[in-house]
């Protein structure tokens, strides 16, 4: 016997009792169970009932909904595959003796229910006996194995289903043909089976094509499952490592704290002890003076009284000017939880899940070229600024592309915007200034005179404004300017170790670590600086990425894990970087509809907003 496929061998086992199937019953999902097991499942399950009064169960294996036939478990068909394969080992044992009449080498079939070989005459008697006429007989002949049985009509149990109604597409008996199916075209069931055999053969071919596709999908799913397992193990390993690191750090901090307290305590105790000894000596001197004076007075020795009176007078003179010394008492302080659980969580590390392929939540088209500002304010709304030769504006769009609010900007355009609470801070490239917008009813209020063409802006964790500045030709000092909340220039970042940091800084973002992330168009890189504006890293895509064009960093943003997302305008990709500037993967590309990306921003609801000129696309980014 040829080796059966794994799925076929598994099909011989009841999915409920996990034993060899007995009196098989097959559900429409092609899962097969023992008749008694399925009957118990129907009886003891919490089944639902349809509006038509049909009882519905769930397949014990795949949980698909299955309506129960009117006559219960008996209404489910038997599985020929299971019945045949369960009996195959007995048939192929080589014993061909008829199990009824005992004739040697005469068996032509095997009754699955009776588990006996049958010769030709006993097979026919078996089929004509009312008690065994519905048994399934496995017949071997013409090089193939077939199952013979007499299927009896449910309405007329004594009538065999010999015909097939072509209109109703159901097998019928002679009585049904003359009553319920009277006037319908009916053909012999064998003829119908032959026709359906051809159809079934063709459908099996189609199924085999589908099987190949689903096998590939199954393998991909298995690979994804395995990758998730490996990923989980790697992350858990990293967490365990971090736990040990944190434990060591906490232990060291506690040891240092204990050492600090012990040293301070010892020093204070030593100081207090010295002062205590002095006070003690003064106190005891006074006690001795009283004792001596009282003794002299009691004895009334004249000379001694005179001498002691003089000594006591000296003591009183000295101590009358002094006051009992009071110590500058101190105590050790140890406050727990002053940083709160959120900072402790950030210190230990943050956890989350992300989809490897982002799904688009919605998108819409605008009538303008959007290149300068993108500020999500909810999961479905964002402010964008645009510029055309006819004018420029700051517009709030919703998920359908409907304009909910708009603010006319200065006609020179090229306006970058950041939100300061209910106000907006805006740039003017032409005037080289920053302005505060408080509302349509109020004039723009000058915030700072920049002196260079202002580019991208961002707010730091200290609520300072960091501004990119550069000339279009790149010949001037390209710098980051740092302003206070009041518009005072705090710092100008141009060089480090005598070398210019930027060539053409355009866009800027700040991550949860306070790092400043700048997309430098001129240098084709991303510059990452710490909160003290010292360069930590530069991201230049490695050659292994095989980009078709030079890296063109445009809009940049950071997610809640401190990772950096930068739009690559020439390669139509979004690069995802670690907080240290290491390449992690491409988030989106041309296959996701990304073409000429200009702006990116993460917003409420863990949404990732991407602007490709006038097209705004919003993706579900992180898994809450």
């Amino acid at each position: 016997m040829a080796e059966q496929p794994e799925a076929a061998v598994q099909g011989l086992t009841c999915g409920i009792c996990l034993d060899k199937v007995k009196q098989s019953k097959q559900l429409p999902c092609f899962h097969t169970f023992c008749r008694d097991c399925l009957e118990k499942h129907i009886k003891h399950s919490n089944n639902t009932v349809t509006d038509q009064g049909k009882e519905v169960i769930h397949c014990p294996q795949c949980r698909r909904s299955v309506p129960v036939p009117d006559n219960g478990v008996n209404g489910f068909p038997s599985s020929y595959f299971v019945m045949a394969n369960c009996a195959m080992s007995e048939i192929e044992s080589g014993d061909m003796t008829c199990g009824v009449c005992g004739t040697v080498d005469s068996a032509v079939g095997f009754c699955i229910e009776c588990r006996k070989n049958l010769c030709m005459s006993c097979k026919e008697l078996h089929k004509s006996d009312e008690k065994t006429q519905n048994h399934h007989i496995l017949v071997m002949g013409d090089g193939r194995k077939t199952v013979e049985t007499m299927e009896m009509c449910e309405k007329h149990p004594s009538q065999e289903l010999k015909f097939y109604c072509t209109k109703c597409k159901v097998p019928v008996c002679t009585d049904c043909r003359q009553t319920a199916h009277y006037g319908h075209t009916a053909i012999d069931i064998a003829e119908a089976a032959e026709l359906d055999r051809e159809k079934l053969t063709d459908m099996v071919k189609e199924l085999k094509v589908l099987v190949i596709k689903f096998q590939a999908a199954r393998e991909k799913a298995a690979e994804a499952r395995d990758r998730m397992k490996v990923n989980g193990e790697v992350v858990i390993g990293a967490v365990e490592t971090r736990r040990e690191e944190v434990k060591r750090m906490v232990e060291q901090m506690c040891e240092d704290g204990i050492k600090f307290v012990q040293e301070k305590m010892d020093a204070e105790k030593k100081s207090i002890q010295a002062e205590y000894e002095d006070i003690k000596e003064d106190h005891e001197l006074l006690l001795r003076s009283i004792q001596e004076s009282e003794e002299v007075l009691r004895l009334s020795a004249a000379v001694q009284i005179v001498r002691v009176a003089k000594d006591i007078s000296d003591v009183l003179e000295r101590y009358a000017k002094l006051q009992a010394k009071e110590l500058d008492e101190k105590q050790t302080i140890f406050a727990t939880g002053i940083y709160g659980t959120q900072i402790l969580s950030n210190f230990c590390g943050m956890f989350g899940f992300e989809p490897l392929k982002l799904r688009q939540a919605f998108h819409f088209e605008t009538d303008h070229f959007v290149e300068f500002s993108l500020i999500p304010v909810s999961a479905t709304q964002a402010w964008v600024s645009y510029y055309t030769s006819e004018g420029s504006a700051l517009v709030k769009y919703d998920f359908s592309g409907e304009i909910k609010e708009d603010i006319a900007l200065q006609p020179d355009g090229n306006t970058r915007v950041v939100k300061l609470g209910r106000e907006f801070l805006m740039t003017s490239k032409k005037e080289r200034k920053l302005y505060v917008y408080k509302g349509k009813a109020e004039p723009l209020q000058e915030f700072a005179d920049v002196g260079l063409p202002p580019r991208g802006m961002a707010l730091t964790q200290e609520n300072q404004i960091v501004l990119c500045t550069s000339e279009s030709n790149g010949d001037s000092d390209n710098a980051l300017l740092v302003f206070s909340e009041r518009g005072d220039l705090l710092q100008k970042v141009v060089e480090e170790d005598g070398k210019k940091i930027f060539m053409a800084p355009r866009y800027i973002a700040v991550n949860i670590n306070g790092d400043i992330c700048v997309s430098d168009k001129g240098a084709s890189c991303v510059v990452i600086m710490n909160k003290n504006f010292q360069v930590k890293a530069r991201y230049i895509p490695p050659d292994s990425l095989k980009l078709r064009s030079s890296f063109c960093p445009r809009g940049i943003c950071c997610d809640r894990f401190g990772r950096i997302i930068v739009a690559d305008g020439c390669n139509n990709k979004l690069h995802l970087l670690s907080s240290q500037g290491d390449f992690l993967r491409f988030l989106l590309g041309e296959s996701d509809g990304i073409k000429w990306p200009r702006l990116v921003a993460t917003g409420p609801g863990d949404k990732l907003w991407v602007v490709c000129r006038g097209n705004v696309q919003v993706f579900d980014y992180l898994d809450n």
Side-chain angles (χ1 to χ4, degrees):
M1 178 179 174
E3 184 177 348
Q4 294 290 323
E6 181 184 354
V9 174
Q10 291 177 349
L12 303 179
T13 302
C14 173
I16 297 176
C17 68
L18 304 180
D19 203 349
K20 194 173 182 179
V21 175
K22 306 176 187 67
Q23 292 182 283
S24 67
K25 287 297 175 182
Q26 189 180 77
L27 302 185
C29 55
F30 296 101
H31 282 128
T32 304
F33 308 93
C34 299
R35 181 198 174 283
D36 291 344
C37 292
L38 188 58
E39 189 170 42
K40 291 177 183 177
H41 176 73
I42 295 173
K43 182 178 180 181
H44 298 294
S45 296
N46 186 19
N47 304 327
T48 58
V49 178
T50 65
D51 295 339
Q52 293 75 30
K54 277 276 189 182
E55 186 178 15
V56 176
I57 63 169
H58 295 285
C59 172
Q61 285 190 263
C62 68
R63 307 305 298 167
R64 280 188 171 88
S65 297
V66 178
V68 179
D70 294 337
N71 57 339
V73 71
N74 292 327
F76 288 114
S78 300
S79 170
Y80 279 21
F81 167 80
V82 171
M83 290 188 296
N85 280 275
C86 285
M88 198 61 67
S89 59
E90 298 186 42
I91 291 177
E92 295 185 351
S93 64
D95 184 7
M96 300 299 289
T97 303
C98 178
V100 178
C101 66
T103 306
V104 179
D105 294 333
S106 63
V108 295
F110 179 85
C111 177
I112 295 173
E113 282 78 7
C114 298
R115 310 197 72 76
K116 291 180 180 180
N117 284 340
L118 300 173
C119 64
M120 182 60 73
S121 58
C122 290
K123 178 173 79 78
E124 294 304 321
L125 289 172
H126 212 68
K127 291 170 64 177
S128 62
D129 190 330
E130 287 187 3
K131 295 180 180 179
T132 57
Q133 64 182 5
N134 62 345
H135 284 193
H136 297 81
I137 301 174
L138 183 65
V139 179
M140 301 176 62
D142 298 331
R144 67 182 184 184
K145 305 176 183 69
T146 59
V147 175
E148 293 182 1
T149 186
M150 289 183 64
E151 296 286 350
M152 311 308 288
C153 180
E154 289 184 12
K155 293 184 178 180
H156 311 99
S158 63
Q159 294 287 320
E160 183 181 359
L161 297 172
K162 293 183 177 181
F163 304 98
Y164 180 78
C165 177
T166 57
K167 180 179 180 180
C168 301
K169 300 186 182 306
V170 292
V172 295
C173 69
T174 302
D175 287 352
C176 286
R177 185 179 178 186
Q178 298 299 322
T179 54
H181 297 268
Y182 181 75
H184 296 180
T185 302
I187 60 176
D188 188 81
I189 192 69
E191 181 183 349
E194 196 58 37
L195 293 173
D196 279 350
R197 182 186 296 277
E198 295 177 7
K199 293 179 183 178
L200 187 58
T201 300
D202 293 337
M203 287 190 286
V204 168
K205 292 178 182 177
E206 294 178 18
L207 286 172
K208 288 181 177 179
V209 173
L210 291 174
V211 162
I212 294 173
K213 293 180 180 179
F214 276 82
Q215 177 65 27
R218 180 177 178 178
E219 291 173 356
K220 287 184 179 180
E223 291 170 0
R225 178 195 61 202
D226 295 341
R227 283 194 298 270
M228 175 54 71
K229 179 182 178 182
V230 172
N231 171 258
E233 291 172 349
V234 170
V235 171
I236 290 172
V239 172
E240 293 289 352
T241 301
R242 183 60 175 167
R243 172 161 58 186
E244 296 304 315
E245 292 174 352
V246 171
K247 283 169 64 175
R248 287 194 295 271
M249 286 188 282
V250 170
E251 287 174 359
Q252 186 61 52
M253 285 189 290
C254 291
E255 287 295 329
D256 292 344
I258 291 171
K259 182 180 179 182
F260 168 80
V261 171
Q262 192 68 50
E263 289 176 351
K264 293 292 289 184
M265 184 176 65
D266 290 344
E268 287 298 318
K269 282 171 62 178
K270 187 176 182 180
S271 175
I272 291 172
Q273 183 64 31
E275 294 186 14
Y276 170 81
E277 294 295 335
D278 291 343
I279 295 171
K280 175 185 175 184
E281 179 58 33
D282 290 339
H283 180 239
E284 291 180 351
L285 172 63
L286 293 173
L287 290 176
R288 290 195 303 273
S289 298
I290 293 171
Q291 182 181 12
E292 185 67 18
S293 297
E294 289 179 343
E295 189 64 23
V296 167
L297 290 172
R298 186 175 64 82
L299 297 175
S300 300
V303 175
Q304 192 65 20
I305 289 175
V306 172
R307 289 177 179 172
V308 170
K310 182 179 183 304
D311 293 338
I312 294 301
S313 177
D314 292 340
V315 169
L316 280 174
E317 184 179 355
R318 184 169 72 250
Y319 280 95
K321 298 177 182 179
L322 297 177
Q323 292 186 3
K325 190 173 184 179
E326 292 185 5
L327 297 177
D328 293 330
E329 191 175 355
K330 301 176 183 178
Q331 69 176 13
T332 304
I333 299 173
F334 177 56
T336 60
I338 59 175
Y339 298 111
T341 56
Q342 184 59 47
I343 293 180
L344 179 61
S345 173
N346 293 347
F347 173 72
C348 293
M350 297 176 67
F351 301 90
F353 275 98
E354 62 177 345
L356 292 181
K357 182 174 178 57
L358 305 190
R359 295 189 180 277
Q360 189 181 96
F362 56 89
H363 77 282
F364 57 88
E365 296 282 346
T366 72
D367 297 328
H368 307 287
F369 185 81
V370 179
E371 187 178 16
F372 303 116
S373 296
L374 171 62
I375 308 172
V377 292
S378 74
T380 58
Q381 294 186 346
W383 288 97
V384 300
S385 65
Y386 71 83
Y387 166 67
T388 68
S389 59
E390 298 176 355
S392 57
L394 180 64
V395 182
K396 184 196 284 186
Y397 287 99
D398 72 0
F399 66 95
S400 65
E402 180 181 350
I403 296 177
K404 310 301 290 185
E405 193 174 346
D406 69 281
I407 302 170
L409 301 176
Q410 298 184 27
D412 60 279
N414 290 356
T415 300
R416 266 76 167 182
V417 181
V418 293
K419 209 166 187 308
L420 302 175
R422 296 183 178 182
E423 302 173 352
F424 290 100
L425 184 63
M426 301 178 174
T427 67
S428 173
K429 182 180 178 184
K430 181 179 180 180
E431 298 179 5
R432 302 188 175 195
K433 293 182 178 181
L434 302 182
Y435 291 94
V436 175
Y437 175 87
K438 294 187 176 182
K440 293 183 179 180
E442 299 186 39
L444 291 177
Q445 178 182 325
E446 184 175 327
F447 181 80
D449 192 338
V450 178
L452 289 169
R455 304 290 184 172
M457 281 189 298
L459 290 176
T460 69
Q461 294 177 340
E462 293 77 22
N463 285 328
Q464 297 173 345
I465 293 91
V466 186
L467 176 70
C468 297
T469 61
S470 70
E471 294 282 8
S472 299
N473 55 24
D475 293 333
S476 65
D477 286 339
N478 298 288
L480 290 188
L481 303 184
V482 186
F483 295 92
S484 71
E485 293 179 90
R486 297 187 302 176
D488 300 321
L489 180 62
L490 302 176
Q491 191 173 353
K492 184 177 181 180
V493 183
V494 179
E495 296 182 345
E496 186 173 82
D497 298 330
K499 296 181 180 179
K500 289 187 176 181
I501 299 174
F502 309 104
M503 289 185 64
R506 287 294 189 266
Y507 298 90
I508 187 169
V510 180
N511 70 7
I512 59 171
N513 299 322
D515 296 334
I516 316 299
C517 310
V518 181
S519 64
D520 190 336
K521 176 185 175 184
S524 297
C525 72
V526 174
V527 181
I528 304 169
M529 316 175 81
N530 62 22
K531 59 177 61 180
N532 296 319
F533 298 97
Q534 298 168 325
V535 176
K536 290 175 53 178
R538 292 178 187 270
Y539 169 67
I540 300 174
D543 294 337
S544 59
L545 297 184
K546 297 180 180 179
L547 298 177
R548 67 186 180 192
S549 300
S550 299
F551 179 49
C552 301
R554 294 293 191 267
I556 192 168
C557 68
C558 302
D559 66 19
R560 56 187 169 93
F561 292 94
R563 302 182 303 180
I564 305 161
I565 303 169
V566 59
D568 183 352
C570 296
N571 293 285
N572 299 329
K573 294 182 182 296
L574 264 60
H575 299 236
L576 177 64
L577 316 179
S578 72
S579 59
Q580 303 302 315
D582 299 316
F583 176 80
L584 298 178
R585 63 187 178 96
F586 292 122
L587 269 184
L588 296 168
E590 289 183 353
S591 62
D592 303 294
I594 302 301
K595 191 170 184 181
W596 302 108
R598 284 294 185 270
L599 302 174
V600 291
T602 54
D606 281 323
K607 294 290 190 290
L608 176 64
W609 295 68
V610 185
V611 173
C612 300
R613 296 188 173 181
N615 178 262
V616 180
Q617 301 182 62
V618 182
F619 296 84
D620 293 320
Y621 177 43
L622 294 175
D623 188 342
N624 289 316

